């Protein structure tokens, strides 16, 4: 059986360093058998990969890729706390999309997160989800993703 870490490698992906919190919080917290991540924005090497509103400065396809980056950042926080290979399954994904007026494609954007989790965890990656359009996100990020996972 292939582990999540091995699947990431097969996909040609590596987990980034855990993003430094921008406020008074921690990247991830365990409670019982669950791990909750803080909302993760698409940081690459400590900088936002893109800024702006989805449906204006950022296309839906670009935002879908940004959701994938957010998810890799969330997985890095989980890995640092409990080890990625200890994840039994993904419970919930919440995706926030900074949306231009009239943009209604939030579910398609957050599919970037959901699809990656399916690739990494297989059937254990199936999860409940919310895809929410918002007017603004911190530091003008186009997308933010948070995860809840169950661990062994």
């Amino acid at each position: 059986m292939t582990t999540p870490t091995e699947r990431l490698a097969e996909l040609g992906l590596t987990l980034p360093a855990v993003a430094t919190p921008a406020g008074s919080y921690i990247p991830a917290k365990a409670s019982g058998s669950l791990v909750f991540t803080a909302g993760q924005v698409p940081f690459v090497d400590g900088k936002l990969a893109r800024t702006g509103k989805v449906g204006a400065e950022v296309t839906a396809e670009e935002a879908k890729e940004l959701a994938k980056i957010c998810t890799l950042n969330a997985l890095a926080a989980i890995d640092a706390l409990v080890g990625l290979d200890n994840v039994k399954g993904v419970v919930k994904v919440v995706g926030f999309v900074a949306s231009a007026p009239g943009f209604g494609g939030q579910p398609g954007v957050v599919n970037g997160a959901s699809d990656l989790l399916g690739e990494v965890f297989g059937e254990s990656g199936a999860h409940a989800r919310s895809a929410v359009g918002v007017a603004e996100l911190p530091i003008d990020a186009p997308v933010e993703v948070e995860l809840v996972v169950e661990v062994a």
Side-chain angles (χ1 to χ4, degrees):
M1 181 181 216
T2 308
T3 67
T5 302
E6 291 168 338
R7 284 192 198 110
L8 278 172
E10 289 169 2
L11 294 168
L13 300 171
T14 56
L15 293 178
V18 178
T20 302
S24 300
Y25 62 91
I26 56 177
K29 179 156 179 122
S31 180
S33 65
L34 299 177
V35 173
F36 300 79
T37 70
Q40 300 292 317
V41 296
F43 279 133
V44 175
D45 297 327
K47 297 180 182 180
L48 276 181
R50 287 292 307 270
T51 60
K53 303 288 182 292
V54 181
E57 300 88 1
V58 180
T59 69
E61 273 306 308
E62 289 170 327
K64 185 176 179 180
E65 287 300 310
L66 294 171
K68 182 176 173 180
I69 294 169
C70 295
T71 304
L72 285 171
N73 288 335
L75 292 176
I78 293 165
D79 187 53
L81 184 66
V82 297
L84 193 62
D85 293 337
N86 290 315
V87 173
K88 288 174 51 178
V90 181
V91 177
K92 174 90 183 215
V93 173
V94 180
F96 300 96
V97 180
S99 302
F103 179 77
Q106 293 84 5
V109 169
V110 182
N111 279 347
S114 296
D115 294 347
L116 176 62
L117 293 167
E119 290 178 292
V120 173
F121 294 104
E123 289 181 18
S124 298
H127 53 270
R129 186 180 92 176
S130 299
V132 183
V134 297
E136 297 286 336
L137 285 170
I139 59 176
D140 200 25
V143 183
E144 182 174 336
V145 172
E146 59 184 56
L147 303 179
V148 179
V149 299
E150 183 179 12
V151 295

Short mmCIF file of all heavy atoms in Angstrom, two decimals, residues 45-88:
data_model
loop_
_atom_site.label_atom_id
_atom_site.label_comp_id
_atom_site.label_asym_id
_atom_site.label_seq_id
_atom_site.Cartn_x
_atom_site.Cartn_y
_atom_site.Cartn_z
N ASP A 45 7.57 29.88 -1.31
CA ASP A 45 8.82 30.49 -0.84
C ASP A 45 8.57 31.78 -0.06
O ASP A 45 9.27 32.79 -0.25
CB ASP A 45 9.78 30.74 -2.00
CG ASP A 45 10.21 29.44 -2.69
OD1 ASP A 45 10.31 28.41 -2.00
OD2 ASP A 45 10.41 29.47 -3.92
N GLY A 46 7.53 31.78 0.77
CA GLY A 46 7.25 32.91 1.63
C GLY A 46 6.53 34.08 0.98
O GLY A 46 6.31 35.10 1.62
N LYS A 47 6.14 33.94 -0.29
CA LYS A 47 5.45 35.03 -0.99
C LYS A 47 4.18 34.48 -1.64
O LYS A 47 4.14 33.33 -2.07
CB LYS A 47 6.34 35.64 -2.07
CG LYS A 47 7.59 36.30 -1.55
CD LYS A 47 8.41 36.86 -2.70
CE LYS A 47 9.69 37.48 -2.13
NZ LYS A 47 10.53 38.04 -3.16
N LEU A 48 3.16 35.34 -1.75
CA LEU A 48 1.95 34.93 -2.45
C LEU A 48 2.25 34.66 -3.92
O LEU A 48 2.92 35.47 -4.57
CB LEU A 48 0.88 36.02 -2.37
CG LEU A 48 0.01 36.05 -1.13
CD1 LEU A 48 -1.00 37.18 -1.23
CD2 LEU A 48 -0.70 34.73 -0.90
N ALA A 49 1.74 33.54 -4.41
CA ALA A 49 1.94 33.20 -5.82
C ALA A 49 1.19 34.17 -6.73
O ALA A 49 1.65 34.48 -7.83
CB ALA A 49 1.49 31.77 -6.08
N ARG A 50 0.03 34.65 -6.28
CA ARG A 50 -0.79 35.61 -7.03
C ARG A 50 -1.59 36.43 -6.03
O ARG A 50 -1.81 36.01 -4.91
CB ARG A 50 -1.79 34.91 -7.95
CG ARG A 50 -1.26 34.26 -9.19
CD ARG A 50 -0.73 35.23 -10.23
NE ARG A 50 -1.64 36.29 -10.62
CZ ARG A 50 -2.51 36.24 -11.61
NH1 ARG A 50 -2.62 35.15 -12.34
NH2 ARG A 50 -3.28 37.25 -11.90
N THR A 51 -2.06 37.58 -6.47
CA THR A 51 -2.98 38.39 -5.69
C THR A 51 -4.16 38.76 -6.58
O THR A 51 -4.08 38.64 -7.81
CB THR A 51 -2.32 39.69 -5.17
OG1 THR A 51 -1.87 40.45 -6.28
CG2 THR A 51 -1.17 39.39 -4.22
N GLY A 52 -5.22 39.20 -5.96
CA GLY A 52 -6.36 39.70 -6.73
C GLY A 52 -7.60 38.84 -6.60
O GLY A 52 -7.61 37.82 -5.92
N LYS A 53 -8.64 39.28 -7.27
CA LYS A 53 -9.94 38.62 -7.23
C LYS A 53 -10.08 37.61 -8.35
O LYS A 53 -9.67 37.85 -9.49
CB LYS A 53 -11.08 39.65 -7.37
CG LYS A 53 -11.07 40.76 -6.34
CD LYS A 53 -11.50 40.24 -4.99
CE LYS A 53 -11.54 41.35 -3.96
NZ LYS A 53 -10.26 41.89 -3.60
N VAL A 54 -10.69 36.49 -8.01
CA VAL A 54 -10.97 35.46 -9.00
C VAL A 54 -12.16 35.94 -9.84
O VAL A 54 -13.16 36.40 -9.30
CB VAL A 54 -11.25 34.11 -8.34
CG1 VAL A 54 -11.50 33.04 -9.40
CG2 VAL A 54 -10.08 33.70 -7.44
N GLY A 55 -12.00 35.86 -11.13
CA GLY A 55 -13.02 36.37 -12.04
C GLY A 55 -12.69 37.77 -12.52
O GLY A 55 -13.39 38.34 -13.34
N ALA A 56 -11.59 38.32 -12.03
CA ALA A 56 -11.10 39.63 -12.49
C ALA A 56 -9.61 39.47 -12.82
O ALA A 56 -9.26 39.07 -13.93
CB ALA A 56 -11.33 40.72 -11.45
N GLU A 57 -8.73 39.71 -11.85
CA GLU A 57 -7.28 39.62 -12.09
C GLU A 57 -6.78 38.17 -12.19
O GLU A 57 -5.71 37.92 -12.74
CB GLU A 57 -6.50 40.33 -10.97
CG GLU A 57 -6.80 41.80 -10.81
CD GLU A 57 -7.98 42.07 -9.88
OE1 GLU A 57 -8.55 41.12 -9.32
OE2 GLU A 57 -8.32 43.26 -9.73
N VAL A 58 -7.52 37.24 -11.60
CA VAL A 58 -7.12 35.83 -11.55
C VAL A 58 -8.21 35.00 -12.21
O VAL A 58 -9.39 35.15 -11.89
CB VAL A 58 -6.93 35.38 -10.07
CG1 VAL A 58 -6.51 33.92 -10.00
CG2 VAL A 58 -5.91 36.28 -9.36
N THR A 59 -7.82 34.12 -13.14
CA THR A 59 -8.81 33.26 -13.78
C THR A 59 -9.20 32.11 -12.86
O THR A 59 -8.46 31.78 -11.92
CB THR A 59 -8.27 32.66 -15.10
OG1 THR A 59 -7.23 31.72 -14.79
CG2 THR A 59 -7.76 33.74 -16.05
N ALA A 60 -10.31 31.48 -13.16
CA ALA A 60 -10.77 30.34 -12.37
C ALA A 60 -9.74 29.20 -12.44
O ALA A 60 -9.49 28.53 -11.42
CB ALA A 60 -12.14 29.87 -12.86
N GLU A 61 -9.14 28.96 -13.60
CA GLU A 61 -8.14 27.90 -13.73
C GLU A 61 -6.89 28.21 -12.91
O GLU A 61 -6.31 27.32 -12.28
CB GLU A 61 -7.78 27.66 -15.19
CG GLU A 61 -8.70 26.68 -15.88
CD GLU A 61 -8.83 25.33 -15.18
OE1 GLU A 61 -7.81 24.68 -14.87
OE2 GLU A 61 -9.97 24.91 -14.92
N GLU A 62 -6.45 29.48 -12.94
CA GLU A 62 -5.30 29.87 -12.11
C GLU A 62 -5.64 29.67 -10.64
O GLU A 62 -4.82 29.17 -9.86
CB GLU A 62 -4.94 31.33 -12.36
CG GLU A 62 -4.31 31.59 -13.71
CD GLU A 62 -4.19 33.08 -14.02
OE1 GLU A 62 -5.05 33.89 -13.60
OE2 GLU A 62 -3.22 33.43 -14.71
N ALA A 63 -6.85 30.05 -10.25
CA ALA A 63 -7.26 29.93 -8.85
C ALA A 63 -7.33 28.48 -8.41
O ALA A 63 -7.01 28.14 -7.27
CB ALA A 63 -8.60 30.63 -8.63
N LYS A 64 -7.74 27.60 -9.32
CA LYS A 64 -7.78 26.17 -9.01
C LYS A 64 -6.37 25.67 -8.68
O LYS A 64 -6.18 24.89 -7.74
CB LYS A 64 -8.37 25.40 -10.20
CG LYS A 64 -8.56 23.93 -9.96
CD LYS A 64 -9.25 23.27 -11.14
CE LYS A 64 -9.43 21.79 -10.91
NZ LYS A 64 -10.09 21.14 -12.06
N GLU A 65 -5.37 26.11 -9.43
CA GLU A 65 -3.97 25.76 -9.14
C GLU A 65 -3.51 26.37 -7.82
O GLU A 65 -2.76 25.75 -7.07
CB GLU A 65 -3.05 26.19 -10.28
CG GLU A 65 -3.19 25.31 -11.51
CD GLU A 65 -2.86 23.84 -11.24
OE1 GLU A 65 -1.79 23.56 -10.66
OE2 GLU A 65 -3.68 22.98 -11.60
N LEU A 66 -3.98 27.59 -7.53
CA LEU A 66 -3.64 28.23 -6.25
C LEU A 66 -4.24 27.47 -5.08
O LEU A 66 -3.61 27.35 -4.02
CB LEU A 66 -4.10 29.68 -6.25
CG LEU A 66 -3.40 30.60 -7.26
CD1 LEU A 66 -4.09 31.95 -7.32
CD2 LEU A 66 -1.92 30.74 -6.94
N ALA A 67 -5.43 26.92 -5.26
CA ALA A 67 -6.06 26.10 -4.21
C ALA A 67 -5.21 24.86 -3.93
O ALA A 67 -5.10 24.41 -2.78
CB ALA A 67 -7.48 25.73 -4.60
N LYS A 68 -4.60 24.34 -4.96
CA LYS A 68 -3.71 23.19 -4.80
C LYS A 68 -2.49 23.58 -3.95
O LYS A 68 -2.08 22.84 -3.05
CB LYS A 68 -3.28 22.69 -6.18
CG LYS A 68 -2.40 21.49 -6.20
CD LYS A 68 -2.14 21.08 -7.65
CE LYS A 68 -1.11 19.98 -7.76
NZ LYS A 68 -0.87 19.60 -9.16
N ILE A 69 -1.94 24.77 -4.21
CA ILE A 69 -0.80 25.26 -3.42
C ILE A 69 -1.22 25.45 -1.97
O ILE A 69 -0.48 25.07 -1.05
CB ILE A 69 -0.25 26.57 -4.02
CG1 ILE A 69 0.36 26.31 -5.40
CG2 ILE A 69 0.79 27.21 -3.09
CD1 ILE A 69 0.69 27.57 -6.19
N CYS A 70 -2.39 26.03 -1.75
CA CYS A 70 -2.91 26.19 -0.38
C CYS A 70 -2.97 24.84 0.32
O CYS A 70 -2.62 24.72 1.51
CB CYS A 70 -4.30 26.80 -0.40
SG CYS A 70 -4.44 28.48 -1.03
N THR A 71 -3.44 23.84 -0.40
CA THR A 71 -3.60 22.51 0.18
C THR A 71 -2.25 21.88 0.50
O THR A 71 -2.09 21.25 1.56
CB THR A 71 -4.41 21.62 -0.78
OG1 THR A 71 -5.65 22.28 -1.05
CG2 THR A 71 -4.67 20.25 -0.19
N LEU A 72 -1.27 22.07 -0.35
CA LEU A 72 0.08 21.59 -0.03
C LEU A 72 0.61 22.26 1.22
O LEU A 72 1.25 21.61 2.06
CB LEU A 72 1.03 21.84 -1.21
CG LEU A 72 0.88 20.91 -2.40
CD1 LEU A 72 1.72 21.40 -3.58
CD2 LEU A 72 1.26 19.48 -2.03
N ASN A 73 0.32 23.55 1.39
CA ASN A 73 0.74 24.26 2.60
C ASN A 73 0.04 23.69 3.83
O ASN A 73 0.66 23.54 4.89
CB ASN A 73 0.48 25.75 2.46
CG ASN A 73 1.44 26.42 1.49
OD1 ASN A 73 2.55 25.95 1.26
ND2 ASN A 73 1.01 27.50 0.89
N ALA A 74 -1.24 23.36 3.70
CA ALA A 74 -1.98 22.76 4.82
C ALA A 74 -1.42 21.37 5.14
O ALA A 74 -1.27 21.01 6.32
CB ALA A 74 -3.47 22.70 4.50
N LEU A 75 -1.12 20.59 4.11
CA LEU A 75 -0.54 19.27 4.35
C LEU A 75 0.83 19.37 5.02
O LEU A 75 1.18 18.54 5.85
CB LEU A 75 -0.44 18.49 3.03
CG LEU A 75 -1.77 18.09 2.40
CD1 LEU A 75 -1.53 17.42 1.04
CD2 LEU A 75 -2.58 17.19 3.31
N ALA A 76 1.59 20.40 4.69
CA ALA A 76 2.89 20.62 5.34
C ALA A 76 2.69 20.88 6.83
O ALA A 76 3.46 20.37 7.67
CB ALA A 76 3.63 21.79 4.68
N ALA A 77 1.67 21.66 7.18
CA ALA A 77 1.39 21.94 8.60
C ALA A 77 0.98 20.66 9.33
O ALA A 77 1.41 20.42 10.47
CB ALA A 77 0.30 23.00 8.72
N ILE A 78 0.18 19.83 8.67
CA ILE A 78 -0.22 18.55 9.27
C ILE A 78 0.99 17.64 9.43
O ILE A 78 1.19 17.02 10.48
CB ILE A 78 -1.30 17.87 8.39
CG1 ILE A 78 -2.59 18.69 8.44
CG2 ILE A 78 -1.54 16.43 8.84
CD1 ILE A 78 -3.60 18.33 7.36
N ASP A 79 1.83 17.58 8.40
CA ASP A 79 3.02 16.73 8.45
C ASP A 79 3.94 17.14 9.59
O ASP A 79 4.45 16.29 10.32
CB ASP A 79 3.76 16.82 7.11
CG ASP A 79 4.91 15.84 7.02
OD1 ASP A 79 4.68 14.63 7.25
OD2 ASP A 79 6.04 16.27 6.71
N ALA A 80 4.12 18.44 9.78
CA ALA A 80 5.00 18.93 10.84
C ALA A 80 4.44 18.59 12.22
O ALA A 80 5.21 18.36 13.17
CB ALA A 80 5.20 20.44 10.71
N LEU A 81 3.13 18.53 12.34
CA LEU A 81 2.51 18.28 13.65
C LEU A 81 2.43 16.80 13.98
O LEU A 81 2.78 16.39 15.09
CB LEU A 81 1.11 18.91 13.69
CG LEU A 81 0.38 18.83 15.03
CD1 LEU A 81 1.10 19.65 16.09
CD2 LEU A 81 -1.06 19.30 14.87
N VAL A 82 1.95 15.98 13.03
CA VAL A 82 1.67 14.56 13.35
C VAL A 82 2.26 13.58 12.34
O VAL A 82 2.15 12.37 12.55
CB VAL A 82 0.15 14.31 13.47
CG1 VAL A 82 -0.44 15.11 14.62
CG2 VAL A 82 -0.57 14.57 12.17
N GLY A 83 2.81 14.06 11.25
CA GLY A 83 3.30 13.16 10.20
C GLY A 83 2.20 12.84 9.21
O GLY A 83 1.14 12.34 9.59
N LEU A 84 2.42 13.16 7.96
CA LEU A 84 1.40 12.99 6.93
C LEU A 84 0.93 11.54 6.80
O LEU A 84 -0.24 11.27 6.55
CB LEU A 84 1.93 13.50 5.59
CG LEU A 84 0.91 13.68 4.48
CD1 LEU A 84 -0.14 14.72 4.87
CD2 LEU A 84 1.60 14.06 3.20
N ASP A 85 1.83 10.60 7.01
CA ASP A 85 1.48 9.19 6.85
C ASP A 85 0.61 8.67 8.00
O ASP A 85 0.13 7.54 7.94
CB ASP A 85 2.73 8.34 6.67
CG ASP A 85 3.43 8.65 5.35
OD1 ASP A 85 2.77 9.15 4.42
OD2 ASP A 85 4.65 8.38 5.25
N ASN A 86 0.40 9.48 9.01
CA ASN A 86 -0.52 9.12 10.12
C ASN A 86 -1.95 9.56 9.85
O ASN A 86 -2.83 9.32 10.67
CB ASN A 86 -0.02 9.71 11.44
CG ASN A 86 1.23 9.01 11.91
OD1 ASN A 86 1.31 7.79 11.87
ND2 ASN A 86 2.22 9.78 12.32
N VAL A 87 -2.18 10.23 8.71
CA VAL A 87 -3.55 10.67 8.38
C VAL A 87 -4.35 9.46 7.91
O VAL A 87 -3.96 8.78 6.96
CB VAL A 87 -3.52 11.77 7.30
CG1 VAL A 87 -4.93 12.11 6.83
CG2 VAL A 87 -2.82 13.01 7.84
N LYS A 88 -5.47 9.20 8.61
CA LYS A 88 -6.38 8.11 8.22
C LYS A 88 -7.33 8.56 7.12
O LYS A 88 -7.76 7.76 6.30
CB LYS A 88 -7.20 7.65 9.42
CG LYS A 88 -6.40 6.87 10.43
CD LYS A 88 -7.17 6.53 11.69
CE LYS A 88 -8.51 5.88 11.45
NZ LYS A 88 -9.21 5.52 12.69
#
